[in-house]
Amino acid sequence: MTAIRRVSILGAGTMGSAIAQHFCMKGLDVTLVDLKEDALERGFQMIRKNLEEARAKGLINEENLKTCLSRLKCSAKQKDLAGSDLVVEAVFEDLGVKRTVFAELESSVGQDCILATNTSSFQVTDIAQGLKHPGRVVGVHYFYHAAKNKLVEIIPGKETRQNISADLFDFYAYY
């Protein structure tokens, strides 16, 4: 199994922020990347608010809240994706934008990094079309609210390497 220790989320909107929170709560170091600083600030504040609500309900304590937030790094620089084991793309549903994002990701991360899309509209194969390494692209569809709803669909494309789906299944089921 490929070890997944460092996760990055590309897109700090509602879904991207919820996915980032999901991983912070699992104890992983998370980088939340968005090209817009104001989107990053909103995303960070959504995560903080959700964690504060969890604390108020007694689901986590103040120490857990602070620890979760300490695992989160927000950045407007794509270069901060380097070193990720898994990048989850959560940008808006536009096939051209997603293809551009994945083409840029290929040069921003290492060869072993799994590239996942949270799309609910497009086939993984279509998103991976034209990439140098389409075998490392997979769909990982979260259901809202990703930090609260533990259901995740793993959707391979036609060229997704078989071990990636298996590794992600183990990662989500047992981590």
Side-chain angles (χ1 to χ4, degrees):
M1 178 174 147
T2 302
I4 299 174
R5 293 187 185 91
R6 183 160 177 249
V7 179
S8 294
I9 313 304
L10 189 55
T14 301
M15 191 55 107
S17 297
I19 295 168
Q21 179 184 338
H22 163 85
F23 287 119
C24 288
M25 293 178 75
K26 281 185 166 229
L28 295 165
D29 292 328
V30 178
T31 302
L32 181 60
V33 175
D34 198 296
L35 300 179
K36 298 178 182 175
E37 292 282 349
D38 59 327
L40 284 169
E41 181 58 29
R42 276 192 311 275
F44 178 80
Q45 292 307 326
M46 278 192 277
I47 293 168
R48 177 188 293 280
K49 179 183 175 226
N50 290 329
L51 290 171
E52 287 174 354
E53 287 173 2
R55 183 185 45 77
K57 291 178 182 178
L59 301 172
I60 62 173
N61 61 30
E62 185 66 25
E63 184 179 334
N64 297 136
L65 186 149
K66 289 179 181 177
T67 301
C68 281
L69 290 176
S70 74
R71 292 183 185 118
L72 179 64
K73 174 183 178 181
C74 294
S75 176
K77 298 175 184 157
Q78 190 149 335
K79 69 178 179 79
D80 288 334
L81 297 168
S84 298
D85 301 308
L86 169 65
V87 175
V88 179
E89 166 272 316
V91 301
F92 57 92
E93 295 295 296
D94 179 296
L95 184 58
V97 170
K98 289 182 182 290
R99 283 182 175 162
T100 299
V101 163
F102 277 87
E104 291 171 358
L105 279 174
E106 278 196 307
S107 63
S108 299
V109 298
Q111 296 261 334
D112 294 330
C113 180
I114 298 169
L115 304 178
T117 178
N118 184 53
T119 190
S120 58
S121 302
F122 303 111
Q123 292 187 20
V124 173
T125 302
D126 292 341
I127 292 170
Q129 184 179 8
L131 295 180
K132 294 175 190 166
H133 306 285
R136 65 180 176 162
V137 179
V138 65
V140 179
H141 184 245
Y142 297 81
F143 294 83
Y144 188 79
H145 186 278
K148 298 173 187 176
N149 188 340
K150 305 303 179 202
L151 184 61
V152 176
E153 290 179 304
I154 299 169
I155 308 134
K158 287 181 182 175
E159 295 186 55
T160 303
R161 293 190 313 261
Q162 194 170 20
N163 69 303
I164 288 178
S165 295
D167 288 351
L168 285 175
F169 178 84
D170 288 344
F171 173 69
Y172 284 104
Y174 304 110
Y175 194 84

